[in-house]
Amino acid sequence: MDPPLASLLRDVPFLHSLVDALGSPLNVLLPEVVAENAERFRSVYRRHHLAGRVYFAHKANRSSALVRRLAACDPAAVGIDVASLEELRHALSCGFTGDRVMATGPKDREFLWLAARVGATVNLDSTGELEQLARLVREHGLGRVNVLARLSEFESDAGHGGAGTRVLSRRSRFGTPVAAAEELWTALERHQDTVELTGLAYHLDTTGLEEKARALERCVLMMDECRARGLAPRAVDIGGGFGVGYVADAGEWERWTTALSEAVLGVRPALTWRGHGYGLRNEGGTVRGAAALYPAHRPVAGPGYLDRLLSRPGPVLGRPPATLLLEHLNDLYVEPGRALVDQCGLSLVRVLDVRPTGDDPTRHLVRLGMNAGDVSLEEHGVLVDPVLLPRGGPRDDPAGDGPVGVHLVGNLCLEADLITRRLVYLPGLPRAGDVLAFVNTAGYAMDFHAHHAQRQPVARTVAVSSAGDAWRWCPDEDYWPLTHPQGVPA
Ligand SMILES: *Cc1c(COP(=O)(O)O)cnc(C)c1O
């Protein structure tokens, strides 16, 4: 945890008072941090003398406070990537002008119309979507729309003289496969009266630097091909996926994943609910399968990952992508979601009930005032233990038996409603009325999967800011990036 989040977590009475007043679960956001993160991405641009924008991938969090805070950043430097009609409406209502908006993802007619109407850039998923957009523009007399061509399945020779081996980047449901780009260029030429190709784009859902560098190189070359045929793209949009390091200590992560393999083999007690293996299985004494886990320890993530990607010599052309972009006079767009909301928030939950598990009296079930949809760390394979915030301050541990293993279960009448399938170790057994804090949940964990099953309440969200030695809060929807002289939201 970085300082703002860490010091917020130390103010236990404040966090308890929020849960007492606003209920469980409760999401807490630090809007200032999202602006600092955007600035960190910008400093990577400056270091490499690159122009272009950082587009926040809105889908990572529904908050208004975060979007409004980003809207208040330098318009030339920070934009927003929206993936639905409602996200677009939300971005506009939070202060983003249409020219700072990128429309990505699958799109319906209404989404396309509003994006075109307000002058957003449309990140085209396919030739079919281009045809649909061109028709809309003609039928409704809209102005020419800026579009990016999203590409996928980058195929290239594996290195110089790669003996004919072809490397294919991962398959995607989205974007036009590079092998089918010719049809797209022809359609773009045909529709030049309605759309202007302003760049090429990709978004690869991988942590692999090599795969991303390969796609980036390929885009730079394809930009030249486009220019040669009279199209005039200016920007390469390399999507998101810069990642977050959730666990600082590599050894800790290493030990846990090793222990998981051992548990799957049965050479140590299970670490998970009913021996769940996160995708690993025991086949005759050998561990098989791949753990479906987010790599919680990342040696480089976020802006550092972007810096690395831009600096290291590309796999095919052997030059740093930043140099390629500069030489070809290309702007760079990025669409970070998770990385831009790193350290921006936490999720609080009340402990409702604590009881021993039936089969093992040393392990306990801790029932929480939330369900798995409210903090979907498991859904994303992010394994981070919550922090126990005891009511009434730290308490002695009379038994003195140290950490206790607990399973965290939710408030749904459903066997599968586990907040974590892992055994989680808390410094002592919690009591009803205590609060658990899941930290760093602003990226996807906080509201992406929240639902109304059983009419259980979905979390309220509040924005907090530091006011000297105290914290100020307001409902997320009431936050505006206005400050009075003490730096407190008005
Ligand atoms: C989800 C998504 C992003 C953001 O991905 P992160 O991993 O959160 O950075 C960016 N662009 C597109 C097109 C996406 O679908």
PDB file of all heavy atoms in Angstrom, residues 55-60 81 83 104-105 123 150 174 202-205 212 237-243 294 334-340 443-444 448, ligand 1:
ATOM      1  N   TYR A  55      -6.151   7.222 -21.971  1.00  0.00           N
ATOM      2  CA  TYR A  55      -7.606   7.065 -21.878  1.00  0.00           C
ATOM      3  C   TYR A  55      -7.930   6.092 -20.744  1.00  0.00           C
ATOM      4  O   TYR A  55      -7.537   4.920 -20.809  1.00  0.00           O
ATOM      5  CB  TYR A  55      -8.165   6.506 -23.192  1.00  0.00           C
ATOM      6  CG  TYR A  55      -8.109   7.481 -24.350  1.00  0.00           C
ATOM      7  CD1 TYR A  55      -6.979   7.567 -25.162  1.00  0.00           C
ATOM      8  CD2 TYR A  55      -9.189   8.314 -24.636  1.00  0.00           C
ATOM      9  CE1 TYR A  55      -6.933   8.452 -26.225  1.00  0.00           C
ATOM     10  CE2 TYR A  55      -9.145   9.205 -25.696  1.00  0.00           C
ATOM     11  CZ  TYR A  55      -8.016   9.270 -26.481  1.00  0.00           C
ATOM     12  OH  TYR A  55      -7.967  10.158 -27.537  1.00  0.00           O
ATOM     13  N   PHE A  56      -8.643   6.551 -19.746  1.00  0.00           N
ATOM     14  CA  PHE A  56      -9.042   5.659 -18.642  1.00  0.00           C
ATOM     15  C   PHE A  56     -10.103   4.671 -19.142  1.00  0.00           C
ATOM     16  O   PHE A  56     -11.136   5.087 -19.669  1.00  0.00           O
ATOM     17  CB  PHE A  56      -9.609   6.482 -17.479  1.00  0.00           C
ATOM     18  CG  PHE A  56     -10.266   5.642 -16.403  1.00  0.00           C
ATOM     19  CD1 PHE A  56      -9.601   4.553 -15.849  1.00  0.00           C
ATOM     20  CD2 PHE A  56     -11.546   5.946 -15.936  1.00  0.00           C
ATOM     21  CE1 PHE A  56     -10.205   3.775 -14.853  1.00  0.00           C
ATOM     22  CE2 PHE A  56     -12.150   5.174 -14.945  1.00  0.00           C
ATOM     23  CZ  PHE A  56     -11.484   4.090 -14.413  1.00  0.00           C
ATOM     24  N   ALA A  57      -9.853   3.371 -18.984  1.00  0.00           N
ATOM     25  CA  ALA A  57     -10.854   2.361 -19.347  1.00  0.00           C
ATOM     26  C   ALA A  57     -11.917   2.340 -18.253  1.00  0.00           C
ATOM     27  O   ALA A  57     -11.743   1.730 -17.197  1.00  0.00           O
ATOM     28  CB  ALA A  57     -10.202   0.995 -19.511  1.00  0.00           C
ATOM     29  N   HIS A  58     -13.030   3.002 -18.524  1.00  0.00           N
ATOM     30  CA  HIS A  58     -14.075   3.225 -17.525  1.00  0.00           C
ATOM     31  C   HIS A  58     -14.592   1.915 -16.930  1.00  0.00           C
ATOM     32  O   HIS A  58     -14.986   1.851 -15.771  1.00  0.00           O
ATOM     33  CB  HIS A  58     -15.215   4.008 -18.183  1.00  0.00           C
ATOM     34  CG  HIS A  58     -16.264   4.527 -17.252  1.00  0.00           C
ATOM     35  ND1 HIS A  58     -16.390   4.124 -15.938  1.00  0.00           N
ATOM     36  CD2 HIS A  58     -17.244   5.440 -17.444  1.00  0.00           C
ATOM     37  CE1 HIS A  58     -17.403   4.770 -15.371  1.00  0.00           C
ATOM     38  NE2 HIS A  58     -17.941   5.566 -16.266  1.00  0.00           N
ATOM     39  N   LYS A  59     -14.561   0.833 -17.706  1.00  0.00           N
ATOM     40  CA  LYS A  59     -15.188  -0.392 -17.226  1.00  0.00           C
ATOM     41  C   LYS A  59     -14.586  -0.907 -15.914  1.00  0.00           C
ATOM     42  O   LYS A  59     -15.238  -1.642 -15.184  1.00  0.00           O
ATOM     43  CB  LYS A  59     -15.158  -1.487 -18.295  1.00  0.00           C
ATOM     44  CG  LYS A  59     -13.820  -2.190 -18.506  1.00  0.00           C
ATOM     45  CD  LYS A  59     -14.055  -3.426 -19.387  1.00  0.00           C
ATOM     46  CE  LYS A  59     -12.840  -4.305 -19.515  1.00  0.00           C
ATOM     47  NZ  LYS A  59     -11.912  -3.929 -20.588  1.00  0.00           N
ATOM     48  N   ALA A  60     -13.373  -0.474 -15.570  1.00  0.00           N
ATOM     49  CA  ALA A  60     -12.740  -0.945 -14.338  1.00  0.00           C
ATOM     50  C   ALA A  60     -13.472  -0.479 -13.083  1.00  0.00           C
ATOM     51  O   ALA A  60     -13.365  -1.108 -12.030  1.00  0.00           O
ATOM     52  CB  ALA A  60     -11.282  -0.491 -14.278  1.00  0.00           C
ATOM     53  N   ASP A  81     -12.020   5.968 -22.063  1.00  0.00           N
ATOM     54  CA  ASP A  81     -12.428   4.896 -22.970  1.00  0.00           C
ATOM     55  C   ASP A  81     -13.735   4.334 -22.422  1.00  0.00           C
ATOM     56  O   ASP A  81     -13.781   3.853 -21.297  1.00  0.00           O
ATOM     57  CB  ASP A  81     -11.280   3.873 -22.985  1.00  0.00           C
ATOM     58  CG  ASP A  81     -11.691   2.456 -23.352  1.00  0.00           C
ATOM     59  OD1 ASP A  81     -12.853   2.214 -23.700  1.00  0.00           O
ATOM     60  OD2 ASP A  81     -10.813   1.579 -23.278  1.00  0.00           O
ATOM     61  N   ALA A  83     -17.205   1.829 -22.964  1.00  0.00           N
ATOM     62  CA  ALA A  83     -17.531   0.587 -23.655  1.00  0.00           C
ATOM     63  C   ALA A  83     -19.029   0.298 -23.664  1.00  0.00           C
ATOM     64  O   ALA A  83     -19.449  -0.827 -23.922  1.00  0.00           O
ATOM     65  CB  ALA A  83     -16.755  -0.576 -23.031  1.00  0.00           C
ATOM     66  N   THR A 104     -15.063   2.090 -27.305  1.00  0.00           N
ATOM     67  CA  THR A 104     -14.528   0.768 -27.641  1.00  0.00           C
ATOM     68  C   THR A 104     -15.571  -0.310 -27.371  1.00  0.00           C
ATOM     69  O   THR A 104     -16.683  -0.019 -26.937  1.00  0.00           O
ATOM     70  CB  THR A 104     -13.273   0.431 -26.798  1.00  0.00           C
ATOM     71  OG1 THR A 104     -13.642   0.428 -25.428  1.00  0.00           O
ATOM     72  CG2 THR A 104     -12.144   1.396 -27.036  1.00  0.00           C
ATOM     73  N   GLY A 105     -15.171  -1.540 -27.596  1.00  0.00           N
ATOM     74  CA  GLY A 105     -16.025  -2.677 -27.246  1.00  0.00           C
ATOM     75  C   GLY A 105     -17.154  -2.880 -28.248  1.00  0.00           C
ATOM     76  O   GLY A 105     -17.198  -2.231 -29.291  1.00  0.00           O
ATOM     77  N   ASN A 123     -13.462   3.381 -31.826  1.00  0.00           N
ATOM     78  CA  ASN A 123     -12.460   2.328 -31.968  1.00  0.00           C
ATOM     79  C   ASN A 123     -13.181   1.146 -32.616  1.00  0.00           C
ATOM     80  O   ASN A 123     -13.901   0.404 -31.962  1.00  0.00           O
ATOM     81  CB  ASN A 123     -11.946   1.990 -30.556  1.00  0.00           C
ATOM     82  CG  ASN A 123     -10.624   1.262 -30.574  1.00  0.00           C
ATOM     83  OD1 ASN A 123     -10.431   0.371 -31.385  1.00  0.00           O
ATOM     84  ND2 ASN A 123      -9.741   1.609 -29.655  1.00  0.00           N
ATOM     85  N   ARG A 150      -9.286  -1.342 -34.814  1.00  0.00           N
ATOM     86  CA  ARG A 150      -8.751  -2.276 -33.825  1.00  0.00           C
ATOM     87  C   ARG A 150      -8.377  -3.575 -34.518  1.00  0.00           C
ATOM     88  O   ARG A 150      -9.186  -4.188 -35.207  1.00  0.00           O
ATOM     89  CB  ARG A 150      -9.785  -2.545 -32.729  1.00  0.00           C
ATOM     90  CG  ARG A 150      -9.280  -3.540 -31.703  1.00  0.00           C
ATOM     91  CD  ARG A 150     -10.108  -3.530 -30.453  1.00  0.00           C
ATOM     92  NE  ARG A 150      -9.730  -4.612 -29.556  1.00  0.00           N
ATOM     93  CZ  ARG A 150     -10.301  -4.834 -28.387  1.00  0.00           C
ATOM     94  NH1 ARG A 150     -11.271  -4.045 -27.962  1.00  0.00           N
ATOM     95  NH2 ARG A 150      -9.918  -5.832 -27.627  1.00  0.00           N
ATOM     96  N   PHE A 174     -12.488  -9.720 -30.295  1.00  0.00           N
ATOM     97  CA  PHE A 174     -12.599  -8.331 -30.710  1.00  0.00           C
ATOM     98  C   PHE A 174     -11.532  -7.966 -31.724  1.00  0.00           C
ATOM     99  O   PHE A 174     -10.429  -8.496 -31.702  1.00  0.00           O
ATOM    100  CB  PHE A 174     -12.495  -7.414 -29.485  1.00  0.00           C
ATOM    101  CG  PHE A 174     -13.524  -7.717 -28.439  1.00  0.00           C
ATOM    102  CD1 PHE A 174     -13.161  -8.344 -27.260  1.00  0.00           C
ATOM    103  CD2 PHE A 174     -14.856  -7.417 -28.656  1.00  0.00           C
ATOM    104  CE1 PHE A 174     -14.119  -8.640 -26.291  1.00  0.00           C
ATOM    105  CE2 PHE A 174     -15.823  -7.716 -27.699  1.00  0.00           C
ATOM    106  CZ  PHE A 174     -15.450  -8.323 -26.516  1.00  0.00           C
ATOM    107  N   TYR A 202      -4.878  -1.869 -30.721  1.00  0.00           N
ATOM    108  CA  TYR A 202      -5.039  -3.246 -30.268  1.00  0.00           C
ATOM    109  C   TYR A 202      -5.204  -3.223 -28.751  1.00  0.00           C
ATOM    110  O   TYR A 202      -4.883  -2.243 -28.090  1.00  0.00           O
ATOM    111  CB  TYR A 202      -3.859  -4.137 -30.680  1.00  0.00           C
ATOM    112  CG  TYR A 202      -2.524  -3.804 -30.043  1.00  0.00           C
ATOM    113  CD1 TYR A 202      -2.190  -4.289 -28.788  1.00  0.00           C
ATOM    114  CD2 TYR A 202      -1.592  -3.006 -30.701  1.00  0.00           C
ATOM    115  CE1 TYR A 202      -0.968  -3.989 -28.195  1.00  0.00           C
ATOM    116  CE2 TYR A 202      -0.365  -2.699 -30.116  1.00  0.00           C
ATOM    117  CZ  TYR A 202      -0.061  -3.189 -28.863  1.00  0.00           C
ATOM    118  OH  TYR A 202       1.130  -2.889 -28.268  1.00  0.00           O
ATOM    119  N   HIS A 203      -5.741  -4.283 -28.226  1.00  0.00           N
ATOM    120  CA  HIS A 203      -5.775  -4.475 -26.770  1.00  0.00           C
ATOM    121  C   HIS A 203      -5.568  -5.956 -26.542  1.00  0.00           C
ATOM    122  O   HIS A 203      -6.420  -6.763 -26.899  1.00  0.00           O
ATOM    123  CB  HIS A 203      -7.105  -4.019 -26.170  1.00  0.00           C
ATOM    124  CG  HIS A 203      -7.283  -4.438 -24.730  1.00  0.00           C
ATOM    125  ND1 HIS A 203      -6.563  -3.876 -23.701  1.00  0.00           N
ATOM    126  CD2 HIS A 203      -8.074  -5.375 -24.164  1.00  0.00           C
ATOM    127  CE1 HIS A 203      -6.916  -4.457 -22.555  1.00  0.00           C
ATOM    128  NE2 HIS A 203      -7.824  -5.377 -22.807  1.00  0.00           N
ATOM    129  N   LEU A 204      -4.425  -6.328 -26.001  1.00  0.00           N
ATOM    130  CA  LEU A 204      -4.126  -7.736 -25.780  1.00  0.00           C
ATOM    131  C   LEU A 204      -4.205  -8.027 -24.295  1.00  0.00           C
ATOM    132  O   LEU A 204      -3.548  -7.379 -23.490  1.00  0.00           O
ATOM    133  CB  LEU A 204      -2.720  -8.069 -26.299  1.00  0.00           C
ATOM    134  CG  LEU A 204      -2.494  -7.866 -27.792  1.00  0.00           C
ATOM    135  CD1 LEU A 204      -1.040  -8.110 -28.144  1.00  0.00           C
ATOM    136  CD2 LEU A 204      -3.392  -8.787 -28.600  1.00  0.00           C
ATOM    137  N   ASP A 205      -5.020  -9.007 -23.970  1.00  0.00           N
ATOM    138  CA  ASP A 205      -5.235  -9.341 -22.572  1.00  0.00           C
ATOM    139  C   ASP A 205      -4.145 -10.309 -22.116  1.00  0.00           C
ATOM    140  O   ASP A 205      -4.378 -11.491 -21.949  1.00  0.00           O
ATOM    141  CB  ASP A 205      -6.624  -9.966 -22.433  1.00  0.00           C
ATOM    142  CG  ASP A 205      -7.050 -10.055 -20.977  1.00  0.00           C
ATOM    143  OD1 ASP A 205      -6.378  -9.436 -20.135  1.00  0.00           O
ATOM    144  OD2 ASP A 205      -8.043 -10.752 -20.703  1.00  0.00           O
ATOM    145  N   LYS A 212       3.227  -7.989 -26.763  1.00  0.00           N
ATOM    146  CA  LYS A 212       2.747  -6.621 -26.952  1.00  0.00           C
ATOM    147  C   LYS A 212       3.710  -5.817 -27.832  1.00  0.00           C
ATOM    148  O   LYS A 212       3.281  -5.028 -28.671  1.00  0.00           O
ATOM    149  CB  LYS A 212       2.554  -5.936 -25.604  1.00  0.00           C
ATOM    150  CG  LYS A 212       1.345  -6.493 -24.893  1.00  0.00           C
ATOM    151  CD  LYS A 212       0.969  -5.702 -23.673  1.00  0.00           C
ATOM    152  CE  LYS A 212      -0.313  -6.288 -23.122  1.00  0.00           C
ATOM    153  NZ  LYS A 212      -0.686  -5.782 -21.821  1.00  0.00           N
ATOM    154  N   ASP A 237      -2.772   3.010 -30.796  1.00  0.00           N
ATOM    155  CA  ASP A 237      -3.440   2.815 -29.513  1.00  0.00           C
ATOM    156  C   ASP A 237      -3.120   1.406 -29.037  1.00  0.00           C
ATOM    157  O   ASP A 237      -3.567   0.430 -29.643  1.00  0.00           O
ATOM    158  CB  ASP A 237      -4.949   3.011 -29.711  1.00  0.00           C
ATOM    159  CG  ASP A 237      -5.746   2.761 -28.434  1.00  0.00           C
ATOM    160  OD1 ASP A 237      -5.188   2.226 -27.457  1.00  0.00           O
ATOM    161  OD2 ASP A 237      -6.948   3.086 -28.436  1.00  0.00           O
ATOM    162  N   ILE A 238      -2.350   1.312 -27.958  1.00  0.00           N
ATOM    163  CA  ILE A 238      -1.882  -0.013 -27.523  1.00  0.00           C
ATOM    164  C   ILE A 238      -2.737  -0.597 -26.396  1.00  0.00           C
ATOM    165  O   ILE A 238      -2.338  -1.556 -25.742  1.00  0.00           O
ATOM    166  CB  ILE A 238      -0.387   0.015 -27.121  1.00  0.00           C
ATOM    167  CG1 ILE A 238      -0.157   0.906 -25.907  1.00  0.00           C
ATOM    168  CG2 ILE A 238       0.466   0.505 -28.295  1.00  0.00           C
ATOM    169  CD1 ILE A 238       1.263   0.791 -25.332  1.00  0.00           C
ATOM    170  N   GLY A 239      -3.928  -0.016 -26.186  1.00  0.00           N
ATOM    171  CA  GLY A 239      -4.883  -0.611 -25.253  1.00  0.00           C
ATOM    172  C   GLY A 239      -4.443  -0.526 -23.804  1.00  0.00           C
ATOM    173  O   GLY A 239      -3.668   0.357 -23.417  1.00  0.00           O
ATOM    174  N   GLY A 240      -4.939  -1.458 -22.998  1.00  0.00           N
ATOM    175  CA  GLY A 240      -4.626  -1.458 -21.560  1.00  0.00           C
ATOM    176  C   GLY A 240      -3.823  -2.682 -21.194  1.00  0.00           C
ATOM    177  O   GLY A 240      -3.060  -3.205 -21.995  1.00  0.00           O
ATOM    178  N   GLY A 241      -4.013  -3.128 -19.937  1.00  0.00           N
ATOM    179  CA  GLY A 241      -3.320  -4.337 -19.495  1.00  0.00           C
ATOM    180  C   GLY A 241      -1.932  -4.076 -18.939  1.00  0.00           C
ATOM    181  O   GLY A 241      -1.058  -4.931 -19.044  1.00  0.00           O
ATOM    182  N   PHE A 242      -1.721  -2.894 -18.327  1.00  0.00           N
ATOM    183  CA  PHE A 242      -0.399  -2.592 -17.753  1.00  0.00           C
ATOM    184  C   PHE A 242      -0.236  -3.207 -16.370  1.00  0.00           C
ATOM    185  O   PHE A 242       0.871  -3.359 -15.884  1.00  0.00           O
ATOM    186  CB  PHE A 242      -0.172  -1.079 -17.725  1.00  0.00           C
ATOM    187  CG  PHE A 242      -0.287  -0.483 -19.090  1.00  0.00           C
ATOM    188  CD1 PHE A 242      -1.478   0.083 -19.520  1.00  0.00           C
ATOM    189  CD2 PHE A 242       0.761  -0.580 -19.991  1.00  0.00           C
ATOM    190  CE1 PHE A 242      -1.611   0.574 -20.800  1.00  0.00           C
ATOM    191  CE2 PHE A 242       0.643  -0.095 -21.274  1.00  0.00           C
ATOM    192  CZ  PHE A 242      -0.549   0.484 -21.692  1.00  0.00           C
ATOM    193  N   GLY A 243      -1.370  -3.530 -15.775  1.00  0.00           N
ATOM    194  CA  GLY A 243      -1.336  -4.349 -14.574  1.00  0.00           C
ATOM    195  C   GLY A 243      -1.024  -3.629 -13.273  1.00  0.00           C
ATOM    196  O   GLY A 243      -0.603  -2.474 -13.252  1.00  0.00           O
ATOM    197  N   TYR A 294      -4.322 -14.228 -11.027  1.00  0.00           N
ATOM    198  CA  TYR A 294      -3.642 -13.011 -11.446  1.00  0.00           C
ATOM    199  C   TYR A 294      -2.232 -13.051 -10.852  1.00  0.00           C
ATOM    200  O   TYR A 294      -2.079 -13.384  -9.673  1.00  0.00           O
ATOM    201  CB  TYR A 294      -4.401 -11.787 -10.920  1.00  0.00           C
ATOM    202  CG  TYR A 294      -3.876 -10.492 -11.488  1.00  0.00           C
ATOM    203  CD1 TYR A 294      -4.372 -10.000 -12.687  1.00  0.00           C
ATOM    204  CD2 TYR A 294      -2.877  -9.779 -10.846  1.00  0.00           C
ATOM    205  CE1 TYR A 294      -3.881  -8.821 -13.232  1.00  0.00           C
ATOM    206  CE2 TYR A 294      -2.386  -8.597 -11.377  1.00  0.00           C
ATOM    207  CZ  TYR A 294      -2.891  -8.123 -12.570  1.00  0.00           C
ATOM    208  OH  TYR A 294      -2.407  -6.969 -13.102  1.00  0.00           O
ATOM    209  N   VAL A 334      -2.862   5.103 -24.817  1.00  0.00           N
ATOM    210  CA  VAL A 334      -2.976   3.928 -23.949  1.00  0.00           C
ATOM    211  C   VAL A 334      -4.351   3.956 -23.292  1.00  0.00           C
ATOM    212  O   VAL A 334      -4.957   5.021 -23.154  1.00  0.00           O
ATOM    213  CB  VAL A 334      -1.870   3.873 -22.857  1.00  0.00           C
ATOM    214  CG1 VAL A 334      -0.497   3.674 -23.479  1.00  0.00           C
ATOM    215  CG2 VAL A 334      -1.882   5.130 -21.986  1.00  0.00           C
ATOM    216  N   GLU A 335      -4.832   2.791 -22.894  1.00  0.00           N
ATOM    217  CA  GLU A 335      -6.166   2.675 -22.268  1.00  0.00           C
ATOM    218  C   GLU A 335      -6.075   1.897 -20.954  1.00  0.00           C
ATOM    219  O   GLU A 335      -6.656   0.817 -20.822  1.00  0.00           O
ATOM    220  CB  GLU A 335      -7.128   1.925 -23.203  1.00  0.00           C
ATOM    221  CG  GLU A 335      -7.322   2.540 -24.559  1.00  0.00           C
ATOM    222  CD  GLU A 335      -8.012   1.587 -25.552  1.00  0.00           C
ATOM    223  OE1 GLU A 335      -8.228   0.410 -25.207  1.00  0.00           O
ATOM    224  OE2 GLU A 335      -8.320   2.033 -26.659  1.00  0.00           O
ATOM    225  N   PRO A 336      -5.349   2.400 -19.974  1.00  0.00           N
ATOM    226  CA  PRO A 336      -5.241   1.636 -18.726  1.00  0.00           C
ATOM    227  C   PRO A 336      -6.544   1.675 -17.927  1.00  0.00           C
ATOM    228  O   PRO A 336      -7.174   2.727 -17.815  1.00  0.00           O
ATOM    229  CB  PRO A 336      -4.123   2.355 -17.957  1.00  0.00           C
ATOM    230  CG  PRO A 336      -4.069   3.727 -18.525  1.00  0.00           C
ATOM    231  CD  PRO A 336      -4.637   3.684 -19.915  1.00  0.00           C
ATOM    232  N   GLY A 337      -6.940   0.530 -17.409  1.00  0.00           N
ATOM    233  CA  GLY A 337      -8.090   0.456 -16.507  1.00  0.00           C
ATOM    234  C   GLY A 337      -7.579   0.179 -15.109  1.00  0.00           C
ATOM    235  O   GLY A 337      -7.397   1.074 -14.282  1.00  0.00           O
ATOM    236  N   ARG A 338      -7.272  -1.098 -14.860  1.00  0.00           N
ATOM    237  CA  ARG A 338      -6.785  -1.531 -13.549  1.00  0.00           C
ATOM    238  C   ARG A 338      -5.628  -0.663 -13.044  1.00  0.00           C
ATOM    239  O   ARG A 338      -5.617  -0.224 -11.897  1.00  0.00           O
ATOM    240  CB  ARG A 338      -6.322  -2.987 -13.671  1.00  0.00           C
ATOM    241  CG  ARG A 338      -5.995  -3.671 -12.372  1.00  0.00           C
ATOM    242  CD  ARG A 338      -5.382  -5.044 -12.649  1.00  0.00           C
ATOM    243  NE  ARG A 338      -6.288  -5.970 -13.307  1.00  0.00           N
ATOM    244  CZ  ARG A 338      -7.162  -6.752 -12.682  1.00  0.00           C
ATOM    245  NH1 ARG A 338      -7.236  -6.725 -11.369  1.00  0.00           N
ATOM    246  NH2 ARG A 338      -7.940  -7.567 -13.359  1.00  0.00           N
ATOM    247  N   ALA A 339      -4.634  -0.406 -13.905  1.00  0.00           N
ATOM    248  CA  ALA A 339      -3.433   0.301 -13.452  1.00  0.00           C
ATOM    249  C   ALA A 339      -3.730   1.751 -13.079  1.00  0.00           C
ATOM    250  O   ALA A 339      -3.065   2.321 -12.217  1.00  0.00           O
ATOM    251  CB  ALA A 339      -2.353   0.256 -14.540  1.00  0.00           C
ATOM    252  N   LEU A 340      -4.730   2.354 -13.723  1.00  0.00           N
ATOM    253  CA  LEU A 340      -5.013   3.756 -13.423  1.00  0.00           C
ATOM    254  C   LEU A 340      -5.744   3.921 -12.089  1.00  0.00           C
ATOM    255  O   LEU A 340      -5.695   4.981 -11.470  1.00  0.00           O
ATOM    256  CB  LEU A 340      -5.828   4.390 -14.560  1.00  0.00           C
ATOM    257  CG  LEU A 340      -5.602   5.880 -14.767  1.00  0.00           C
ATOM    258  CD1 LEU A 340      -4.154   6.193 -15.086  1.00  0.00           C
ATOM    259  CD2 LEU A 340      -6.503   6.419 -15.852  1.00  0.00           C
ATOM    260  N   GLY A 443     -10.003  -1.487  -9.026  1.00  0.00           N
ATOM    261  CA  GLY A 443      -9.965  -2.055 -10.373  1.00  0.00           C
ATOM    262  C   GLY A 443     -10.730  -3.356 -10.460  1.00  0.00           C
ATOM    263  O   GLY A 443     -10.235  -4.391 -10.018  1.00  0.00           O
ATOM    264  N   TYR A 444     -11.929  -3.317 -10.981  1.00  0.00           N
ATOM    265  CA  TYR A 444     -12.782  -4.487 -11.268  1.00  0.00           C
ATOM    266  C   TYR A 444     -13.369  -5.187 -10.053  1.00  0.00           C
ATOM    267  O   TYR A 444     -14.398  -5.851 -10.173  1.00  0.00           O
ATOM    268  CB  TYR A 444     -12.037  -5.536 -12.129  1.00  0.00           C
ATOM    269  CG  TYR A 444     -11.568  -5.001 -13.445  1.00  0.00           C
ATOM    270  CD1 TYR A 444     -10.232  -4.699 -13.662  1.00  0.00           C
ATOM    271  CD2 TYR A 444     -12.479  -4.763 -14.476  1.00  0.00           C
ATOM    272  CE1 TYR A 444      -9.804  -4.179 -14.869  1.00  0.00           C
ATOM    273  CE2 TYR A 444     -12.056  -4.239 -15.692  1.00  0.00           C
ATOM    274  CZ  TYR A 444     -10.711  -3.955 -15.885  1.00  0.00           C
ATOM    275  OH  TYR A 444     -10.281  -3.435 -17.078  1.00  0.00           O
ATOM    276  N   PHE A 448     -17.774  -4.351 -10.477  1.00  0.00           N
ATOM    277  CA  PHE A 448     -17.971  -4.953 -11.804  1.00  0.00           C
ATOM    278  C   PHE A 448     -19.015  -6.060 -11.761  1.00  0.00           C
ATOM    279  O   PHE A 448     -19.835  -6.200 -12.654  1.00  0.00           O
ATOM    280  CB  PHE A 448     -16.647  -5.501 -12.349  1.00  0.00           C
ATOM    281  CG  PHE A 448     -16.681  -5.765 -13.832  1.00  0.00           C
ATOM    282  CD1 PHE A 448     -16.276  -4.784 -14.734  1.00  0.00           C
ATOM    283  CD2 PHE A 448     -17.124  -6.976 -14.327  1.00  0.00           C
ATOM    284  CE1 PHE A 448     -16.324  -5.013 -16.105  1.00  0.00           C
ATOM    285  CE2 PHE A 448     -17.169  -7.210 -15.701  1.00  0.00           C
ATOM    286  CZ  PHE A 448     -16.770  -6.218 -16.586  1.00  0.00           C
TER     287      PHE A 448
HETATM  288  C1  LIG B   1     -10.660  -3.854 -20.521  1.00  0.00           C
HETATM  289  C2  LIG B   1     -10.036  -3.014 -21.562  1.00  0.00           C
HETATM  290  C3  LIG B   1      -9.038  -2.105 -21.224  1.00  0.00           C
HETATM  291  C4  LIG B   1      -8.463  -1.996 -19.832  1.00  0.00           C
HETATM  292  O1  LIG B   1      -7.742  -3.122 -19.476  1.00  0.00           O
HETATM  293  P1  LIG B   1      -6.888  -3.143 -18.088  1.00  0.00           P
HETATM  294  O2  LIG B   1      -6.342  -4.505 -18.038  1.00  0.00           O
HETATM  295  O3  LIG B   1      -7.856  -2.848 -17.000  1.00  0.00           O
HETATM  296  O4  LIG B   1      -5.859  -2.085 -18.214  1.00  0.00           O
HETATM  297  C5  LIG B   1      -8.527  -1.299 -22.205  1.00  0.00           C
HETATM  298  N1  LIG B   1      -8.986  -1.362 -23.484  1.00  0.00           N
HETATM  299  C6  LIG B   1      -9.944  -2.241 -23.845  1.00  0.00           C
HETATM  300  C7  LIG B   1     -10.383  -2.276 -25.258  1.00  0.00           C
HETATM  301  C8  LIG B   1     -10.498  -3.096 -22.908  1.00  0.00           C
HETATM  302  O5  LIG B   1     -11.432  -3.972 -23.275  1.00  0.00           O
END
